[in-house]
């Protein structure tokens, strides 16, 4: 049974009844945090008990999730992603304890599925038949899939000009797609108003207080995967900041329950063209100064992070680090990860690795420490930017002579030893 006790404003601490739909604080407008009665969970939260639990994400962690027993959304096999050791990149960088948690393997190719399954379960619990959100890509596709699975209607709002390849997944899953003549902020505001008027359940990241709870299962799984001794550093590519805050919450909870002795230091990596959290944190002032996002890493192209405060607090509490990386560094990391470890990440998802390279080289992260990077989403979702760091294959005549010509000029040798000197040079966009 869920041990959820209340919803509490992250800023002014006002509390709200979790059995009613509330998105943000009516007093100060800030996001809400789900609070649990941990004493009710303590007895059952034993390492051996958790290791022996099987089933879906909701079933395994039900007591620490905000879902009631009888209204759980049908899952699609989300979560339970592997933590893989990166020996080749580790050799090149001189970091023998480098890992990635490969979230590209979630049902729609992105960690957001962990949050969507919770949001859809809440919609069912609240008796809503239609779920909605504003997004330009991954969150929309994820919602469309889980709504289809649960036989709910979904409405996804996207700003005009959103590339079709980004919304094609949502189209096939059968979402109602509303294209808005306006930017992301206007689209978002319209969606909020529509949810209020038509009774649609708002599943948007940050304003839906329950989504974060799904993301904390990344931390739960890591505790188990690292034999209850989680890594020294957990590196998260960051846009709205929901994932970073969710993962940190998971570690904090398992620490509080006595399941782990030490918590990791959290690292937020943003694209240098959209890094308001990095700027604020490095000035140590929890005030958001929005920017106009300018980066090819679409998933983290957020100029006004909607979970700013939760993310900022997570960095503070974990003695964390925030760093930004350029688009060239991101594309180079994407290629490095694919060529050396066989993992195809979208640019936003590869940003964490670019950040690790930078932080190891400037000495912030000690090379011997245990580092785990969250690879948030699959490169298949954004094929266009993937090809920026690679050359397109040549077409030849069907003759051996033609084949010899490519062998001589372009076939790349597999690189066993990698370091940053091997990073490809990126042509100017
Ligand atoms: C949404 C997303 C992010 C950013 O997560 P936030 O919770 O917004 O910080 C990073 N990578 C991918 C692939 C995403 O889809």
């Amino acid at each position: 049974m869920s041990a959820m006790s209340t919803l509490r404003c992250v800023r002014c601490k006002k509390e709200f009844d979790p059995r009613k739909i509330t998105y943000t604080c009516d007093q100060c407008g800030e996001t809400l945090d789900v609070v649990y009665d941990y004493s009710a969970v303590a007895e059952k939260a034993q390492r051996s008990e958790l290791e022996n639990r099987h089933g879906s994400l909701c079933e395994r962690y039900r007591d620490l999730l905000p879902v009631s027993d009888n209204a759980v959304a049908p899952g699609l096999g989300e979560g339970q992603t592997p933590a893989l050791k990166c020996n080749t990149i580790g050799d090149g960088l001189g970091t023998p304890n480098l890992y990635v948690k490969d979230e590209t393997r979630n049902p729609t190719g992105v960690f957001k599925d962990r949050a969507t399954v919770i949001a859809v379960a809440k919609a069912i619990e609240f008796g809503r038949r239609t779920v909605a959100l504003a997004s330009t890509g991954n969150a929309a596709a994820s919602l469309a899939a889980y709504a289809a699975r649960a036989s709910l209607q979904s409405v996804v709002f996207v700003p005009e000009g959103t590339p079709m390849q980004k919304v094609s997944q949502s189209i096939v899953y059968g979402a109602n797609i509303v294209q808005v003549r306006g930017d992301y902020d206007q689209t978002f505001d319209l969606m909020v108003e529509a949810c209020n008027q038509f009774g649609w359940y708002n599943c948007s990241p940050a304003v839906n207080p329950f989504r974060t709870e799904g993301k904390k299962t990344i931390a739960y799984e890591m505790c188990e995967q690292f034999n209850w001794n989680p890594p020294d550093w957990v590196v998260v590519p960051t846009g709205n900041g929901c994932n970073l805050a969710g993962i940190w919450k998971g570690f904090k909870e398992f620490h509080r329950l006595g399941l782990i002795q030490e918590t990791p230091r959290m690292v937020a990596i943003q694209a240098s063209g959209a890094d308001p959290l990095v700027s604020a944190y490095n000035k140590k002032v929890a005030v958001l100064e929005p920017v106009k996002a300018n980066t090819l890493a679409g998933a983290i192209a957020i100029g006004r992070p909607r979970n700013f405060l939760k993310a900022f607090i997570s960095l503070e509490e974990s003695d964390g680090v925030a760093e930004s990386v350029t688009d060239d560094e991101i594309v180079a990391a994407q290629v490095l990860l694919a060529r050396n470890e066989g993992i195809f990440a979208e640019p936003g998802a590869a940003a964490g690795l670019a950040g690790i390279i930078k932080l190891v080289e400037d000495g912030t992260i000690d090379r011997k420490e245990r580092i785990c990077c969250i690879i948030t989403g699959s490169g298949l979702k954004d094929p266009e930017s993937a090809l920026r760091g690679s050359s397109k294959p040549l077409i030849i005549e069907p003759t051996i002579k033609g084949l010899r010509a490519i062998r001589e000029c372009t076939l790349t040798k597999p690189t066993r030893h990698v370091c940053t000197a091997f990073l490809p040079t990126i042509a100017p966009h």
Side-chain angles (χ1 to χ4, degrees):
M1 215 178 69
S2 171
M4 173 169 62
S5 60
T6 188
L7 296 177
R8 185 180 295 150
C9 173
V10 175
R11 189 192 305 274
C12 76
K13 311 294 177 206
K14 180 172 175 185
E15 296 196 356
F16 299 86
D17 181 353
R19 288 162 303 183
K20 297 203 183 107
I21 296 182
T22 314
Y23 298 113
T24 47
C25 179
D26 61 5
Q27 194 161 287
C28 75
E30 192 41 74
T31 52
L32 306 178
D33 185 34
V34 183
V35 181
Y36 298 85
D37 173 7
Y38 291 104
S39 61
V41 184
E43 204 177 306
K44 272 185 291 169
Q46 304 292 333
R47 290 177 182 179
S48 55
E49 149 89 21
L50 286 162
E51 280 165 356
N52 287 321
R53 284 195 201 169
H54 300 287
S56 69
L57 182 146
C58 287
E59 285 160 351
R60 278 170 64 84
Y61 301 117
R62 188 186 308 277
D63 26 14
L64 289 165
L65 292 175
V67 285
S68 72
D69 291 3
N70 50 7
V72 169
L76 286 162
E78 56 289 332
Q80 307 265 47
T81 58
L84 304 168
K85 192 153 190 231
C86 293
N87 287 325
T88 312
I89 296 179
D91 277 356
L93 263 183
T95 50
N97 300 302
L98 176 66
Y99 298 82
V100 292
K101 180 118 169 106
D102 184 8
E103 290 292 305
T104 70
R105 307 199 195 189
N106 278 295
T108 75
V110 71
F111 74 89
K112 289 190 169 69
D113 293 338
R114 296 177 184 265
T116 311
V117 73
I118 307 286
V120 167
K122 294 312 287 182
I124 295 170
E125 212 174 302
F126 291 129
R128 298 294 170 94
R129 303 295 312 160
T130 304
V131 287
L133 57 61
S135 153
T136 58
N138 292 339
S142 181
L143 184 66
Y146 280 82
R149 178 87 166 147
S151 304
L152 300 181
Q153 291 233 18
S154 59
V155 188
V156 300
F157 288 73
V158 297
E160 165 185 58
T162 303
M164 261 313 130
Q165 67 193 32
K166 280 237 158 185
V167 286
S168 64
Q169 242 183 325
S170 302
I171 295 173
V172 178
Y173 288 131
N176 297 290
I177 296 170
V178 182
Q179 292 196 75
V180 181
R181 190 160 299 136
D183 65 10
Y184 180 77
D185 283 324
Q186 292 168 302
T187 307
F188 192 92
D189 293 343
L190 174 65
M191 182 268 319
V192 170
E193 208 182 313
C195 288
N196 292 339
Q197 285 217 4
F198 305 123
W200 299 342
Y201 188 59
N202 186 345
C203 295
S204 290
V207 298
N208 185 303
F210 301 111
R211 286 185 67 101
T212 308
E213 304 305 298
K215 288 164 187 165
K216 70 190 187 183
T217 60
I218 294 181
Y220 293 172
E221 288 174 16
M222 279 172 72
C223 290
E224 233 179 275
Q225 287 169 321
F226 287 86
N227 203 15
W228 306 102
N229 182 18
D232 304 300
W233 298 92
V234 173
V235 182
V236 189
T238 301
N240 276 312
C242 316
N243 199 20
L244 180 86
I247 296 173
W248 172 241
K249 184 172 182 183
F251 285 122
K252 244 185 3 181
E253 288 180 328
F254 270 22
H255 185 255
R256 177 173 181 154
L257 290 166
L259 292 164
I260 54 171
Q261 301 313 312
E262 308 272 347
T263 51
R265 295 175 70 181
M266 301 298 294
V267 181
I269 301 297
Q270 295 197 296
S272 51
D275 62 352
L277 177 66
V278 175
S279 311
Y281 185 67
N282 290 340
K283 279 189 261 169
K284 299 279 175 255
V285 194
V287 176
L288 170 62
E289 287 179 32
V291 299
K292 195 159 167 41
N294 176 22
T295 167
L296 67 79
I300 52 171
I302 308 286
R304 179 147 77 91
R306 290 180 192 258
N307 236 334
F308 174 82
L309 189 57
K310 265 191 201 174
F312 191 98
I313 293 171
S314 304
L315 288 172
E316 263 185 349
E317 287 180 349
S318 71
D319 190 17
V321 167
E323 182 60 271
S324 34
V325 289
T326 65
D327 281 3
D328 285 355
E329 289 168 331
I330 289 174
V331 177
Q334 183 188 36
V335 173
L336 199 66
L337 188 62
R339 297 216 177 146
N340 293 286
E341 307 294 350
I343 298 167
F344 186 16
E346 75 166 270
L353 178 60
I356 289 173
I357 293 170
K358 206 161 167 183
L359 293 171
V360 162
E361 288 186 340
D362 76 10
T364 307
I365 296 182
D366 187 287
R367 288 178 197 268
K368 299 226 165 42
E369 289 179 296
R370 291 170 312 132
I371 311 161
C372 185
C373 183
I374 313 297
I375 305 298
T376 45
S378 166
L380 290 173
K381 285 169 160 280
D382 191 358
E384 214 156 86
S385 40
L387 291 174
R388 293 214 193 184
S390 310
S391 47
K392 297 206 168 83
L394 295 177
I395 298 172
I396 59 159
E397 295 305 320
T399 61
I400 290 291
K401 194 169 158 224
L403 184 59
R404 283 220 171 90
I406 350 182
R407 264 191 67 206
E408 275 155 25
C409 66
T410 58
L411 271 193
T412 46
K413 293 192 190 77
T415 43
R416 270 316 297 174
H417 259 283
V418 192
C419 65
T420 46
F422 279 80
L423 295 177
T425 330
I426 310 302
H429 325 124

